[in-house]
Amino acid sequence: MSRILVIESSARQQGSVSRQLTQDFIARWQTAHPADDIQVRDLAIDQVPHLDADLLGGWMKPADQQSESEKAALALSNLLTEELLAADVLVMAAPMYNFAIPSTLKSWLDHVLRAGVTFKYTETGPQGLLTGKRAYILTARGGIYAGSPVDHQEPYLRQAMSFIGIHDVTFIHAEGLNMGAEFQEKGLAAAKSQLAKVA
């Protein structure tokens, strides 16, 4: 049995293409792997605070020197990190907001990219500690950006995953969603065709 961690980050609960892709992925995965455990964390409902002084204090101070707010920030970071550590497969839904990822997803990453836990520094540079995991990243984009200089999603997320040791990363882009019915239909069809192959 494998554990699947799904991260939702769309601000919309209704009419969200990234959520539609996630539900499609989950349905296909459950059909192919009925014994697997799937956990969904919705960052729009349970928002993760931005990295702040409390979180830094929780990471860096000895337990007996932490304030209550620092302890609470550390506890949340520990919970999010433990979920990621326990997962065999990570699925991230990442709609494109202003050429990048939602701030909620960035906050989640800030909580789980942790020195000594998900990566470590060595004499030859940082080394990821989450080897053997796979990641699927489902994006929804109003325009067509894949491979272009203004695609700041895929390069950033590939780097973030590589940094913690996840090198098996598959991107599934639904593009052209705001460019008219024809482009929207093609973009969704292309994404769902990819989903059918990987899930």
Side-chain angles (χ1 to χ4, degrees):
M1 182 186 79
S2 295
R3 293 184 177 181
I4 318 301
L5 175 62
V6 178
I7 303 296
E8 293 277 23
S9 65
S10 174
R12 295 188 295 172
Q13 293 293 320
Q14 303 297 325
S16 165
V17 172
S18 67
R19 290 181 184 277
Q20 181 181 338
L21 295 177
T22 302
Q23 292 307 308
D24 193 342
F25 182 98
I26 290 173
R28 292 179 183 278
W29 193 276
Q30 286 177 326
T31 298
H33 312 278
D36 285 1
D37 176 60
I38 298 178
Q39 177 185 358
V40 179
R41 175 166 288 278
D42 192 330
L43 301 177
I45 296 175
D46 295 315
Q47 293 192 7
V48 175
H50 292 296
L51 191 155
D52 59 13
D54 285 334
L55 182 56
L56 292 175
W59 284 343
M60 296 178 181
K61 292 181 182 178
D64 61 354
Q65 296 178 21
Q66 294 171 6
S67 67
E68 291 304 312
S69 58
E70 289 169 341
K71 289 177 182 178
L74 177 61
L76 176 59
S77 180
N78 286 342
L79 172 64
L80 299 173
T81 305
E82 286 163 7
E83 290 175 351
L84 177 59
L85 290 170
D88 302 293
V89 177
L90 172 65
V91 180
M92 279 192 286
M96 179 178 277
Y97 292 166
N98 299 317
F99 308 104
I101 63 173
S103 61
T104 51
L105 184 55
K106 176 61 166 61
S107 292
W108 179 81
L109 288 166
D110 285 341
H111 278 69
V112 301
L113 272 63
R114 292 175 57 180
V117 182
T118 56
F119 73 93
K120 66 179 180 180
Y121 290 108
T122 72
E123 293 180 354
T124 57
Q127 176 184 331
L129 300 176
L130 304 190
T131 57
K133 299 182 187 291
R134 284 181 287 165
Y136 296 95
I137 300 176
L138 318 178
T139 76
R141 301 161 165 199
I144 297 175
Y145 299 99
S148 77
V150 293
D151 181 357
H152 305 297
Q153 279 188 315
E154 183 169 342
Y156 170 71
L157 290 173
R158 279 195 185 279
Q159 174 61 32
M161 294 296 96
S162 175
F163 191 69
I164 57 176
I166 303 177
H167 301 285
D168 185 352
V169 181
T170 300
F171 278 82
I172 297 175
H173 300 299
E175 296 201 294
L177 301 177
N178 294 335
M179 296 173 62
E182 182 180 352
F183 281 98
Q184 183 183 63
E185 185 177 335
K186 287 182 178 178
L188 280 172
K192 290 188 175 185
S193 176
Q194 277 188 277
L195 279 174
K197 294 175 183 176
V198 302

